[in-house]
């Protein structure tokens, strides 16, 4: 089991309809709540009659959960619920996320963050640990079977880039 699965979690449903806004909300909440290292903040696609993006915070202990809940409720985040909406969150706030900038080896990326491993779309196995990853300062791994996995694609010069682009084209921005 991962720290994400064991953590005390809460979900904030602010009716957000796009990932960029959800990312901003998570980063804003992390700053306002002065969250400790070890917190995971994820986005979750909510389907149904009112499609939207909810965000979750997985906190290290019950006191952090209680404090976050009280502060969020006082701040007008009216749709709060206990737990995670699903097990497949897209991580925005996670240990090591702030240092995943520029270009680095896959091994450095994994060693310096909560990411368990990197996969390359369309390629079998995992990339060589020395392969260079151009992060574009936008690394959004996803929970898959209890592991935080970063999907990447091949790029120029034998490098890799995270699959998710920091600046998606408008036709694909809301998918």
């Amino acid at each position: 089991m991962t720290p994400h699965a064991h953590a005390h979690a809460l979900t904030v449903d602010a009716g957000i309809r796009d990932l960029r806004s959800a990312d901003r909300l998570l980063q804003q909440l992390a700053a306002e709540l002065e969250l400790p290292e070890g917190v995971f903040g994820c986005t979750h696609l909510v389907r149904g009659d009112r499609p939207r993006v909810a965000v979750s915070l997985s906190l290290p202990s019950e006191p952090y959960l209680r404090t976050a809940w009280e502060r969020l409720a006082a701040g007008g985040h009216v749709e709060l619920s206990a737990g995670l909406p699903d097990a497949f969150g897209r991580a925005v706030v996670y240990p090591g996320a702030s240092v995943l900038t520029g270009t680095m080896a896959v091994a450095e990326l994994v060693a310096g963050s909560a990411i368990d491993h990197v996969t390359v779309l369309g390629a079998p196995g995992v990339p060589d640990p020395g392969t260079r990853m151009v992060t574009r300062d936008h690394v959004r791994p996803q929970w898959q079977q209890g592991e935080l996995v970063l999907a990447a694609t091949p790029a120029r010069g034998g490098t890799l880039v995270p699959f998710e682009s920091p600046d998606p084209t408008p036709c694909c921005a809301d998918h």
Side-chain angles (χ1 to χ4, degrees):
M1 284 280 181
T2 64
H4 177 68
H6 285 295
H8 302 277
L10 63 86
T11 296
V12 179
D13 188 345
I16 294 172
R17 297 190 50 90
D18 65 280
L19 289 173
R20 281 185 177 187
S21 296
D23 284 6
R24 281 193 295 275
L25 176 60
L26 274 170
Q27 291 163 342
Q28 174 189 342
L29 293 177
E32 286 177 6
L33 296 172
E34 300 172 353
L35 298 175
E37 182 66 24
V39 168
F40 288 87
C42 297
T43 61
H44 303 266
L45 300 179
V46 179
R47 305 198 192 294
D49 57 340
R50 197 174 57 106
R52 60 205 181 278
V53 183
V55 301
S56 68
L57 294 172
S58 295
L59 302 153
S61 67
E62 181 66 32
Y64 279 111
L65 176 66
R66 197 171 31 254
T67 300
W69 188 287
E70 290 167 0
R71 290 180 66 190
L72 289 169
H77 297 283
V78 292
E79 285 199 53
L80 297 175
S81 57
L84 301 171
D86 58 47
F88 306 103
R90 172 183 158 274
V92 176
V93 175
Y94 53 94
S98 64
V99 299
L100 301 180
T101 61
T103 301
M104 58 183 37
V106 168
E108 293 174 284
L109 182 138
V110 172
S113 72
I115 296 172
D116 292 301
H117 66 272
V118 175
T119 62
V120 180
L121 296 178
V126 295
D128 181 276
T131 303
R132 305 297 290 165
M133 173 77 70
V134 180
T135 69
R136 301 180 296 196
D137 301 343
H138 187 83
V139 180
R140 301 293 189 263
Q142 292 195 321
W143 289 103
Q144 296 177 7
Q145 299 177 343
E147 293 185 314
L148 198 53
V149 179
L150 178 64
T153 59
R156 241 193 260 154
T159 63
L160 297 173
V161 294
F163 174 72
E164 184 178 324
S165 170
D167 299 307
T169 56
C171 70
C172 301
D174 292 333
H175 299 289

